[in-house]
Amino acid sequence: MRLSRSFAQYEPHRAEELMPMDLAQAQEASDLLVRLWCEGAAAESLPAEIRPASRLEAYAIQALLERLSAKPLWGWKIAATSEAGQRHIGVGGPIAGRLEAEMVYHDGAEVPFGTNRMRVAEAEFAFRMGRSLLPRLKPYSIEEVLDAVGALHTALEVPDSRFADFVTAGAAQLIADNACAHQFILGPEAPAYWRKMNLHRHHIITKVAERYERDGFGRNVLGDPRIALTWLANELSQYGITLAAGQVISTGTRVASLQILPGDEVSADYGKLGVVRLRFTPN
């Protein structure tokens, strides 16, 4: 397979990171973020003594979220896979977050709007893994990662942050904050012929209530959603994390973030690959 953009520029950074933060500090940071999440509150930043200084520390804090779910980890999300997304949260490149089963809704669901401060929805491609990719020293190629994919779905993501000013929080704090993961809507499974399609050229039309429409293309995520998926496989691999069979990976927004209000209905039309919809509660 030949893609329109080189994967080399998105290979994971192999910088050796130290982790002076101990488990108690990571747990304290995680507990604070969870409390803010449950209360619908926000902080300016994590206290200096429990603030992650590296991606390694940030992912260690994030990993503790899995202890709060009664179910196995459902999947992963990638944030900031487009220049617009990077500007939106003030980072220079992609970051990964966990999707817990309790965050997931299905096509047509009514989704609580709550205290969401970001107030955006995002149209995404989501890949379901057919088999696991274990951590290893050699980076995975796009071909290897796609060979492990079981299915493609349309999807919508509704991010949010536990930081009052998420644009200045920085990548490490946002990773600790689960890469702004909040709510995720899984759409229909795409027909199997998606594998033969040029996903980077695929056109998507989104609609927010009767207020406006916006369109975009698959290339808006690192040049191609398959590149974004491969980035995630290698990002997890370098931190010793398995991308497991059955997990779903949302690969970033194809369309500029959609500004939303309570009561809005949001749809993303992927043409012959399917349509996904949600409606927000009026609060």
Side-chain angles (χ1 to χ4, degrees):
M1 179 191 312
R2 293 188 178 275
L3 300 181
S4 61
R5 198 167 178 180
S6 170
F7 175 62
Q9 60 188 307
Y10 300 117
E11 287 185 3
H13 25 130
R14 292 283 178 179
E16 295 178 358
E17 297 178 272
L18 300 177
M19 186 174 169
M21 178 179 285
D22 62 27
L23 181 59
Q25 291 170 311
Q27 185 68 63
E28 185 179 351
S30 177
D31 289 347
L32 174 55
L33 291 168
V34 169
R35 178 172 61 78
L36 292 170
W37 193 359
C38 293
E39 294 175 356
E44 292 303 319
S45 64
L46 290 169
E49 63 273 14
I50 57 172
R51 190 179 307 154
S54 67
R55 293 172 82 96
L56 178 62
E57 291 183 346
Y59 281 123
I61 294 169
Q62 184 191 116
L64 294 172
L65 290 173
E66 290 192 43
R67 301 166 64 182
L68 302 177
S69 177
K71 300 178 181 180
L73 182 63
W74 191 85
W76 296 86
K77 63 155 288 183
I78 314 173
T81 52
S82 68
E83 291 183 4
Q86 290 164 17
R87 289 193 300 270
H88 185 58
I89 60 173
V91 297
I95 58 177
R98 285 162 162 83
L99 293 175
E100 303 289 355
E102 291 81 359
M103 300 176 179
V104 178
Y105 299 80
H106 292 274
D107 183 33
E110 185 170 83
V111 178
F113 194 92
T115 58
N116 193 311
R117 284 171 296 281
M118 281 190 166
R119 291 184 165 233
V120 297
E122 300 176 339
E124 315 210 352
F125 277 128
F127 295 91
R128 185 183 298 277
M129 301 306 296
R131 59 180 175 81
S132 299
L133 295 176
L134 301 177
R136 70 183 196 188
L137 292 178
K138 179 183 177 182
Y140 284 100
S141 68
I142 292 173
E143 289 74 17
E144 288 176 303
V145 172
L146 286 178
D147 188 57
V149 170
L152 175 70
H153 290 256
T154 61
L156 288 163
E157 192 203 354
V158 184
D160 199 12
S161 176
R162 272 50 69 179
F163 294 113
D165 186 0
F166 49 83
V167 177
T168 62
Q173 288 200 104
L174 290 177
I175 291 171
D177 187 32
N178 206 20
C180 304
H182 181 54
Q183 295 161 327
F184 179 79
I185 298 81
L186 184 69
E189 180 177 333
Y193 55 70
W194 69 265
R195 292 183 182 272
K196 298 181 180 180
M197 295 176 61
N198 292 319
L199 294 182
H200 63 290
R201 296 179 182 174
H202 194 73
H203 187 223
I204 301 119
I205 300 173
T206 58
K207 185 176 181 180
V208 179
E210 299 300 323
R211 295 192 289 117
Y212 66 92
E213 293 184 3
R214 192 170 289 163
D215 66 351
F217 293 88
R219 61 176 174 264
N220 292 342
V221 290
L222 299 186
D224 190 292
R226 296 164 292 189
I227 291 176
L229 176 65
T230 305
W231 175 88
L232 179 75
N234 287 313
E235 177 80 343
L236 299 184
S237 179
Q238 70 171 328
Y239 292 111
I241 302 170
T242 294
L243 183 54
Q247 290 180 345
V248 173
I249 299 88
S250 193
T251 51
T253 186
R254 278 93 187 104
V255 180
S257 295
L258 306 167
Q259 290 71 40
I260 53 171
L261 297 170
D264 275 346
E265 180 175 330
V266 179
S267 65
D269 186 344
Y270 292 73
K272 58 186 178 181
L273 295 183
V275 180
V276 58
R277 297 179 177 87
L278 70 88
R279 179 183 292 277
F280 290 103
T281 57
N283 274 8

